[in-house]
Amino acid sequence: GNTSIQILYVFCTVIACASAVFICLIDSLDQYTTNDDKDKSDISLGATAHLAINLLIKDPRCALMLPFSASFGLGVAYMNGYFFASVVSDQLSPYAVGYIAAIVVFSAAVVALPYSRLGAFLNTQAPIVAFGSLCILLFALINLLFSPAQLGTWPLIIALAFVFGVGRSTWEGSFKATFADYFPNDTKAAFANVQLQMGIATALGFILDIVTSPTVVGLCVILCSFIAFFAQLLAQYLHHHRSSPPNTVNTQDETPMHENEITVRSHEKDSEKDIKCQTSASPDTASELRTFSPSSA
């Protein structure tokens, strides 16, 4: 009961305090850091924020990441503000919230490795992130279409938690990998964008939970998820267009043609030389024939 919860809170608090103490005992890592790493790390918070905003404004691929960040951020707020409170806690038990939250995390961990293998096989993370947006959309849509009483059974709640966990896994892994693939030379600005977008979207979601109804938040999640699906595919198209070298096919086709032309021309020159040699040698041949002809003998 309440005693078990209090013991759990005390135990977690002790672990957190002990971790903070042991962190203070860690030796300095400066001896393992190169000068280049030090130069890269000496960037202020304001400079990092400026780099993130600059990348967001100037690169459309970064701007196209916004819908999925909004989808997941609003989805987290919707899950905590409505699903856990009105569906899990009210229909099952307040103690069930912890178990369902653990299922969300567990499902995200289970699909993380298959997502990684699939992204490596496809050589892109965009379809996986697009699929994750559909999972978040499905989670919000089912909660809007059915009442808490209709959803208030263990099988349905576990299934919904698993669906949201699959969507969460795309944000934890594939979505961040997308930033690394798209912006390999601006990793600091790229990952600052991940945190910036997610923080703003989550804060906005919790604010909407207070000032509006859960229905409005759910509709916002569905809208952002729908836009995120197509935004991911468009971002991948733009990235592929930028990364592919221009006129690759034509260059490959022109090189053998050029070599063939050189070969043909060399053969033509050799033939011309042979003809000239034969022409220049013909008078000598004629004189030799006259020399050894029967009439002269």
Side-chain angles (χ1 to χ4, degrees), residues 97-181:
V97 174
Y99 297 108
I100 300 303
I103 292 174
V104 173
V105 177
F106 175 76
S107 61
V110 166
V111 299
L113 183 58
Y115 276 166
S116 177
R117 298 286 178 83
L118 181 60
F121 175 77
L122 297 175
N123 198 27
T124 177
Q125 304 290 335
I128 302 173
V129 180
F131 174 73
S133 67
L134 293 181
C135 291
I136 299 175
L137 186 151
L138 180 63
F139 172 82
L141 182 63
I142 292 177
N143 277 279
L144 286 178
L145 293 178
F146 300 96
S147 64
Q150 293 174 313
L151 298 175
T153 61
W154 278 100
L156 289 177
I157 289 177
I158 291 175
L160 285 174
F162 186 85
V163 168
F164 190 86
V166 172
R168 171 178 175 168
S169 183
T170 59
W171 185 85
E172 297 286 354
S174 301
F175 182 66
K176 296 177 182 178
T178 301
F179 274 87
D181 292 340

Side-chain angles (χ1 to χ4, degrees), residues 224-273:
C224 292
S225 300
F226 180 79
I227 297 174
F229 177 83
F230 296 100
Q232 286 297 315
L233 301 181
L234 179 58
Q236 173 59 26
Y237 172 78
L238 294 177
H239 177 68
H240 179 73
H241 182 70
R242 287 190 178 192
S243 59
S244 59
N247 299 328
T248 303
V249 177
N250 293 335
T251 304
Q252 295 176 351
D253 292 341
E254 289 175 0
T255 303
M257 290 179 62
H258 181 66
E259 294 176 354
N260 291 336
E261 289 178 358
I262 294 175
T263 305
V264 172
R265 290 176 181 175
S266 63
H267 284 306
E268 290 177 353
K269 290 181 179 180
D270 293 339
S271 300
E272 291 176 358
K273 290 180 181 178

Side-chain angles (χ1 to χ4, degrees), residues 15-92:
I15 292 178
C17 294
S19 301
V21 171
F22 282 111
I23 288 175
C24 297
L25 301 178
I26 296 177
D27 294 334
S28 176
L29 300 178
D30 291 339
Q31 56 180 333
Y32 305 104
T33 306
T34 62
N35 292 329
D36 293 338
D37 294 333
K38 291 179 180 179
D39 295 338
K40 292 179 181 178
S41 62
D42 293 337
I43 300 179
S44 63
L45 179 61
T48 303
H50 174 73
L51 290 175
I53 295 175
N54 189 49
L55 182 64
L56 179 64
I57 294 174
K58 292 187 176 181
D59 199 317
R61 296 173 299 173
C62 187
L64 289 170
M65 300 294 107
L66 274 171
F68 185 79
S69 297
S71 169
F72 179 67
L74 294 174
V76 169
Y78 184 67
M79 180 181 65
N80 287 279
Y82 173 75
F83 180 69
F84 283 157
S86 300
V87 180
V88 180
S89 180
D90 291 350
Q91 302 302 319
L92 296 181

